[in-house]
Amino acid sequence: MRARRLLAASLGIVLGAGLFSVTASPAQAYEHWDVSKSNWAYTDSHLPNKSFVNPSGDAPIGAWADAGGNKHKSRSYFTFDISRFRGAVIHKADLVIAERSAADCASAQPVELWRTDPIKATTSWESTPRHRELLGTVQAGGEATCPGYLVWDIMPALQKLANQDERTLTVEIRVPHGDEGKLSHGRKLKPFPALRSVANHAPTVAQIGLEFPSWSCASKENPQPVGARYYSLMVRGDDADPHDHNFNGQFAAWPVGQEDQRSERFGSDYGGTLAKVGWDMSQYSHGTVVAWTARAYDGHDYSEWAEPCYVKVDAQRPAAPVVTSAKYPDDGEPHGGAGVPGTITFKANGSPDVVGYYWGRFGDTYNYVPAPAPGADATLEYTPTSFFESLSVRSVDSASNSSEVTEYQFFVRSTAPGVRVTVGGVGLPSQLAISNSVEGVTEFGYKVGDAAEVRVPADADGTTDVSVVFAQTGLTKVQVRSYVGTELVGAYTEDVWVRDTPFVESADFAFPDHDGVVDRPGSFTFRPGRTGVVAYEYAFLYDGMQRIDAAADGTAVLRWTPTEPNWYTLNVRSISADGTVSEVQQYEFSVIDIKPTVYSSTYYEYGAWGGVGIPGEFNFDTAMPDVDAFLYRLNDGPEQIVDPEYNWGRVTLTPERAGSNTLTVRTRFLDGSFSPSRTYTFEVSDAPVVTSSDYPENDDAGQPGQPGRFTFNPGRSDVAEYRYVLEYSGEEQVVAAGADGKATIEITPTHPGYTLLTVTSRAADGTASAERRYYFRVRDPRVNVYSAYDEYTPRGGIGAIGRFSVYTEISEVTTFEYQVNGGAWQSLPKTPDSSMTDISVTMDRNGANVFSVRGRTAAGEYTPQTDYPFLVGTAPLVSSSTYPANQWSGGVGVPGEFTFTQGSPGVVEFEYMVDGGQPVMVAANAAGVATTTYTPTSASSHTMRVRGRTADGVWTDPTNYYFLVDFS
């Protein structure tokens, strides 16, 4: 056989070590096993009876000469422990050994590998192990690396030994008999051979079965019934290899007796060694018995097929059940009573394989009642809770086929007693106020949690009050029943949330009836929500908890005076003598300020705002009731009155001085009393105040080149001059103040748009005021043009009508004058009450065109002229009186005449197509006009695409003509 020569790196061999690793490859889901020798020996023909077992030195094979010139012949034997291969599937196995030296590397020489009997202590040239089989022959030297590696493929032999449960393998390496005596064929081997293998343990099947019923696997004699739908088939396997991560299952199914219809399919991994597959049982006819099986697969090897499971397909649904009740018949009349149980009977309605019934209220069918035997009736003890009940019921057979749903509806007498629960806490008395609307009730029964029912007589008015004690916190079920004699006539159940939170009461802080007031003292009373309370811990808002001791009766009174208006949360919990801490009670309330609130969006309380002579709006508000009026005073001025509207007032004040200003406000109540005063302090900027009727602040006015007057008013009393800068000029200008501290200047804007005028004042000593920034907008006198025609893309053609919308900011303009390509000027009145005026132009030139427009006022003044360039294409005009563009008209089968007019000179014919159909050619007359008739075959919208062609074959731009064909 051909020798395998591998580099040391590829073999993973450590030269001279004689040790090989066992490594797992999780990605490949099998193991690489490298097995080193457990024993070795060689024989020597020169010393035929001497044994060389586990000697030191190399392993000789073939002929060799010693130092004295004596000729020897040798064979080497190696034993390996192969017990780990028992039960494994071997995918690859090589025996590898390294050469130390060779007498002749130039020529290829055969080396044999034999399987033999085991090495003995007496193994010698005369007593060699018995040959069992030749495992292979390789060629050493020649083209191969020499000294190199000798490699034999021993996978078949190793697999056979593993299957036979052999524990060891002994091999002989030798030169073939005919060459064994030739010194040129002698070699020395390193005595560290290895079995390099790739092996895997095939998985096994631990269990197969249906997912529902869980792991069901029935026999052929008693197959599992299944419906005509998908079922999940499952297989769980076992695998001796810990690194196998590619587990799956292969499934097969076939009708019993028809193995030729066997179908196989892989499933999906569901973690670990579980695999599932969905199998459609509807592919088999009703009554078919189907066998199915599975085997495990680990990515390399399969298990044996498991013993089959059997199912029988039931494709027939059971009949809808019949529902009856003697206590609650479905006759449209009320029966029984709320909370009074009754028996509901479910009948199979002739379906013999019904095994149970699913039921629920108002369309739900999630509750299950089993039938005592297939096809038998089942009963349900049902307690209605409302005056109208609707039960939904469906039957299910042994194959889990469900019937249609039967709706059973009935009315219930409104006999449930009422109960109002007042929870007093844990271990403390609580109250049940029980009432009933049914005449003749003689007694009530009540039950708290799992306690026994307690009966109490009903008062003459059909009510009673009882005291109960809740032993613990949490949700507790309270059941109340009413009786007439011994007959139960109604019942009601309520889940009561029991808490041990303390009770908090306050007459002074009781939202929404009574708000607390700043600086007005008040109190809170804490009452226990459980027994043994000795103290309380409390905190306002986000403060830390504080403690207050309780009186002997478990109550405590907290006195508190609020200092700030706010919405407050008071957190309170109780402390019992045994250290038990209750849940926290949150008591919320509002504290209002007796002083009025003052605020302004012109003059804030922080920073400097507005200016001398600039009015500001001030708002007064209070949460106090019974307000008669607000009284206010600005600085040292007289106190004035403003009448409130819904506790709210507003005044406009104009500061007369810069710097700090004080507004004092108080409330007068209907009883003639007054609130404390609120002092609102604000800073008025000392920046100059700028006014202009020509260019009002933050408004549109004037235009570039139109002068305007601006007056600077002093913000302080010592103004000697003003310095100002117009935004785009960048140069600071100075103007002296008059005797009144004012100055007026004239500015001629040169740019349209928003403009900033910055002004400061200077005193004689050089003291500068704050800066005033005065914005005004200069109108743009140009006429703006908007049109679908532009200078980039040609549109339409000669004869097309283009619309140009024009607009100017100069409101005095009453007329627009326009011309096309330098032609005669035409005029059009400005469209009233509209920002745009539309001008229609009929195109008379292909290519580049210019639309010019200007505005004219009633006084005959003109705006600057705007020139708007645009391109006109060569597209033809299309018209039709039967089918006008973009209008519903005509009808299916109604012919329409369409006229094509050239959009550029020289057109001799037109091509048109409708909705992308076949093109049709129509000849044009001498004027470049053609007429054609088209009859629509369908309603809705249509597109006719038309283009012209000149005599020299040049096509014009196309026109898309949209028309709508009526449905009638």
Side-chain angles (χ1 to χ4, degrees):
M1 70 183 290
R2 187 168 176 266
R4 298 184 184 179
R5 294 292 183 170
L6 298 95
L7 297 177
S10 67
L11 289 171
I13 298 173
V14 181
L15 294 178
L19 298 175
F20 292 82
S21 61
V22 179
T23 59
S25 177
Q28 297 175 322
Y30 51 64
E31 290 186 318
H32 296 268
W33 293 341
D34 292 344
V35 183
S36 59
K37 71 179 188 301
S38 60
N39 194 16
W40 85 283
Y42 73 87
T43 58
D44 187 346
S45 63
H46 188 67
L47 300 170
N49 294 312
K50 185 174 181 179
S51 297
F52 300 91
V53 178
N54 294 321
S56 60
D58 293 328
I61 60 172
W64 54 283
D66 60 24
N70 299 309
K71 183 178 180 181
H72 303 251
K73 291 188 293 183
S74 292
R75 302 165 187 165
S76 290
Y77 301 85
F78 300 93
T79 297
F80 301 89
D81 181 353
I82 61 170
S83 58
R84 69 179 58 198
F85 293 100
R86 287 186 299 169
V89 178
I90 302 171
H91 290 263
K92 180 181 179 182
D94 292 336
L95 191 145
V96 183
I97 193 167
E99 296 177 305
R100 176 77 71 184
S101 62
D104 180 10
C105 282
S107 60
Q109 299 173 352
V111 179
E112 294 178 345
L113 181 71
W114 288 80
R115 181 170 71 88
T116 68
D117 285 349
I119 299 170
K120 299 179 181 179
T122 58
T123 294
S124 65
W125 183 267
E126 290 296 333
S127 180
T128 60
R130 179 182 175 184
H131 283 180
R132 291 297 180 178
E133 62 178 318
L134 177 64
L135 299 181
T137 302
V138 299
Q139 298 296 321
E143 295 180 0
T145 302
C146 182
Y149 287 95
L150 306 181
V151 183
W152 291 269
D153 179 0
I154 64 167
M155 185 187 73
L158 186 59
Q159 184 68 72
K160 181 173 69 174
L161 294 174
N163 294 345
Q164 294 172 351
D165 202 20
E166 294 288 344
R167 295 179 174 271
T168 61
L169 165 66
T170 300
V171 296
E172 176 193 67
I173 302 176
R174 60 172 291 174
V175 173
H177 181 74
D179 298 321
E180 193 172 28
K182 300 176 183 177
L183 289 173
S184 61
H185 283 60
R187 322 185 84 79
K188 293 291 180 68
L189 308 178
K190 297 178 183 180
F192 308 112
L195 292 182
R196 181 171 172 80
S197 66
V198 176
N200 174 58
H201 287 95
T204 58
V205 172
Q207 186 179 16
I208 69 171
L210 299 177
E211 185 171 28
F212 179 82
S214 181
W215 289 105
S216 169
C217 181
S219 65
K220 184 193 299 187
E221 295 74 23
N222 188 25
Q224 170 67 44
V226 294
R229 55 185 175 274
Y230 273 91
Y231 280 78
S232 287
L233 313 183
M234 303 191 298
V235 59
R236 178 179 286 120
D238 287 326
D239 197 323
D241 295 328
H243 299 290
D244 281 348
H245 301 300
N246 296 319
F247 182 84
N248 203 344
Q250 188 181 24
F251 299 82
W254 63 95
V256 170
Q258 302 178 51
E259 284 75 7
D260 58 327
Q261 295 184 26
R262 178 185 176 109
S263 176
E264 296 183 357
R265 189 181 314 157
F266 272 99
S268 298
D269 176 23
Y270 279 78
T273 57
L274 176 66
K276 302 179 186 179
V277 70
W279 206 275
D280 185 9
M281 296 301 176
S282 68
Q283 63 183 297
Y284 308 110
S285 59
H286 175 71
T288 301
V289 177
V290 179
W292 73 273
T293 183
R295 61 178 179 175
Y297 179 63
D298 65 1
H300 292 277
D301 297 297
Y302 293 91
S303 71
E304 297 295 328
W305 288 100
E307 286 296 318
C309 302
Y310 295 86
V311 297
K312 184 176 182 179
V313 178
D314 180 353
Q316 294 180 351
R317 300 176 66 181
V322 173
V323 183
T324 62
S325 175
K327 185 75 171 179
Y328 292 105
D330 58 344
D331 58 3
E333 297 295 327
H335 297 276
V340 178
T343 299
I344 311 293
T345 301
F346 305 148
K347 298 178 178 293
N349 197 14
S351 297
D353 57 350
V354 167
V355 295
Y357 304 87
Y358 283 94
W359 70 276
R361 300 177 72 221
F362 299 101
D364 291 337
T365 55
Y366 300 130
N367 307 295
Y368 181 69
V369 177
D377 299 344
T379 58
L380 169 70
E381 188 80 4
Y382 182 73
T383 302
T385 58
S386 63
F387 77 96
F388 174 74
E389 292 282 353
S390 178
L391 299 185
S392 303
V393 186
R394 58 185 171 93
S395 58
V396 62
D397 64 18
S398 57
S400 298
N401 294 317
S402 286
S403 71
E404 295 289 341
V405 174
T406 295
E407 300 290 346
Y408 186 77
Q409 299 176 340
F410 56 93
F411 291 90
V412 181
R413 293 174 60 222
S414 297
T415 61
V419 62
R420 185 177 70 254
V421 183
T422 303
V423 178
V426 176
L428 298 172
S430 297
Q431 297 296 316
L432 304 183
I434 307 173
S435 61
N436 201 78
S437 60
V438 178
E439 294 184 2
V441 171
T442 58
E443 64 179 356
F444 296 103
Y446 67 89
K447 181 179 179 183
V448 177
D450 296 329
E453 184 183 57
V454 178
R455 298 281 186 94
V456 294
D459 295 340
D461 61 354
T463 66
T464 191
D465 293 329
V466 295
S467 179
V468 297
V469 175
F470 295 105
Q472 61 187 20
T473 61
L475 207 60
T476 299
K477 190 182 297 297
V478 174
Q479 302 177 61
V480 181
R481 298 177 179 178
S482 54
Y483 296 88
V484 175
T486 59
E487 180 186 0
L488 172 66
V489 294
Y492 174 74
T493 300
E494 181 175 323
D495 289 326
V496 177
W497 189 257
V498 180
R499 302 182 65 192
D500 64 352
T501 54
F503 297 91
V504 180
E505 302 168 354
S506 177
D508 304 307
F509 306 98
F511 180 84
D513 299 325
H514 194 284
D515 291 323
V517 178
V518 171
D519 296 330
R520 182 179 295 173
S523 66
F524 301 89
T525 299
F526 304 155
R527 300 188 185 280
R530 64 181 308 120
T531 58
V533 170
V534 296
Y536 296 91
E537 291 182 336
Y538 68 92
F540 290 97
L541 293 175
Y542 307 109
D543 296 340
M545 285 286 189
Q546 301 182 62
R547 181 183 173 106
I548 182 172
D549 291 334
D553 62 355
T555 65
V557 176
L558 172 66
R559 305 190 185 282
W560 181 69
T561 301
T563 58
E564 296 290 338
N566 209 334
W567 178 260
Y568 284 86
T569 299
L570 174 60
N571 296 311
V572 185
R573 63 190 181 191
S574 65
I575 309 295
S576 297
D578 61 1
T580 301
V581 179
S582 74
E583 299 178 65
V584 173
Q585 175 69 279
Q586 290 192 326
Y587 183 83
E588 296 183 324
F589 60 96
S590 174
V591 173
I592 60 178
D593 198 341
I594 192 171
K595 298 178 183 179
T597 300
V598 181
Y599 58 94
S600 173
S601 58
T602 307
Y603 290 99
Y604 299 97
E605 283 189 286
Y606 54 90
W609 303 91
V612 175
I614 297 179
E617 192 174 83
F618 293 82
N619 298 283
F620 311 148
D621 190 13
T622 182
M624 295 294 291
D626 304 325
V627 174
D628 179 41
F630 292 106
L631 288 76
Y632 66 93
R633 175 184 286 112
L634 178 61
N635 297 321
D636 298 326
E639 190 170 56
Q640 302 181 64
I641 298 177
V642 60
D643 292 327
E645 183 177 355
Y646 302 109
N647 288 13
W648 175 79
R650 175 186 295 168
V651 296
T652 299
L653 302 176
T654 303
E656 297 177 351
R657 72 185 189 203
S660 179
N661 285 252
T662 300
L663 178 62
T664 304
V665 185
R666 58 180 179 155
T667 307
R668 185 174 69 200
F669 299 105
L670 292 175
D671 62 2
S673 62
F674 292 89
S675 74
S677 295
R678 170 78 66 189
T679 300
Y680 184 85
T681 302
F682 59 97
E683 190 82 13
V684 177
S685 174
D686 66 352
V689 176
V690 182
T691 60
S692 174
S693 59
D694 299 321
Y695 289 99
E697 187 175 15
N698 296 318
D699 202 358
D700 296 344
Q703 58 183 299
Q706 180 176 318
R709 292 172 61 84
F710 296 81
T711 298
F712 304 154
N713 299 280
R716 49 192 300 150
S717 60
D718 56 354
V719 174
E721 65 179 24
Y722 295 95
R723 300 185 181 189
Y724 64 94
V725 177
L726 194 62
E727 181 178 31
Y728 45 76
S729 70
E731 298 179 3
E732 186 177 70
Q733 306 290 325
V734 180
V735 59
D740 59 357
K742 298 181 180 181
T744 299
I745 63 170
E746 186 175 277
I747 295 176
T748 303
T750 59
H751 296 79
Y754 273 100
T755 303
L756 171 63
L757 175 62
T758 305
V759 185
T760 59
S761 66
R762 293 287 193 279
D765 62 1
T767 302
S769 72
E771 180 182 86
R772 176 72 62 193
R773 299 170 68 84
Y774 184 88
Y775 289 94
F776 61 97
R777 190 177 186 282
V778 180
R779 297 179 300 177
D780 188 346
R782 296 176 303 170
V783 178
N784 297 292
V785 180
Y786 303 93
S787 177
Y789 284 84
D790 59 37
E791 60 182 316
Y792 306 107
T793 305
R795 292 180 64 86
I798 294 174
I801 297 176
R803 187 176 71 180
F804 296 83
S805 298
V806 296
Y807 161 76
T808 181
E809 294 182 359
I810 306 302
S811 58
E812 295 90 334
V813 167
T814 59
T815 304
F816 289 102
E817 296 182 353
Y818 66 94
Q819 65 175 191
V820 178
N821 299 323
W825 285 98
Q826 304 178 63
S827 63
L828 184 72
K830 179 184 175 183
T831 302
D833 302 323
S834 175
S835 61
M836 294 288 186
T837 297
D838 292 336
I839 299 174
S840 295
V841 174
T842 301
M843 306 305 171
D844 59 3
R845 178 192 298 179
N846 299 117
N849 289 255
V850 177
F851 173 78
S852 302
V853 64
R854 62 192 181 191
R856 188 181 71 210
T857 68
E861 296 176 342
Y862 285 94
T863 66
Q865 177 176 312
T866 297
D867 292 326
Y868 181 85
F870 64 96
L871 297 175
V872 175
T874 60
L877 294 177
V878 181
S879 62
S880 174
S881 59
T882 310
Y883 293 102
N886 300 310
Q887 295 183 32
W888 290 99
S889 55
V892 176
V894 178
E897 189 175 84
F898 292 81
T899 299
F900 310 147
T901 304
Q902 64 183 10
S904 60
V907 171
V908 297
E909 62 180 351
F910 296 93
E911 175 196 81
Y912 75 92
M913 62 179 68
V914 179
D915 298 332
Q918 291 297 318
V920 179
M921 302 301 297
V922 182
N925 60 21
V929 179
T931 300
T932 189
T933 299
Y934 173 74
T935 303
T937 59
S938 63
S940 191
S941 63
H942 296 276
T943 301
M944 178 178 286
R945 184 177 176 86
V946 183
R947 61 177 179 167
R949 185 164 61 182
T950 61
D952 56 4
V954 176
W955 289 102
T956 69
D957 299 332
T959 292
N960 288 318
Y961 182 81
Y962 302 98
F963 61 99
L964 304 167
V965 177
D966 223 327
F967 285 89
S968 58

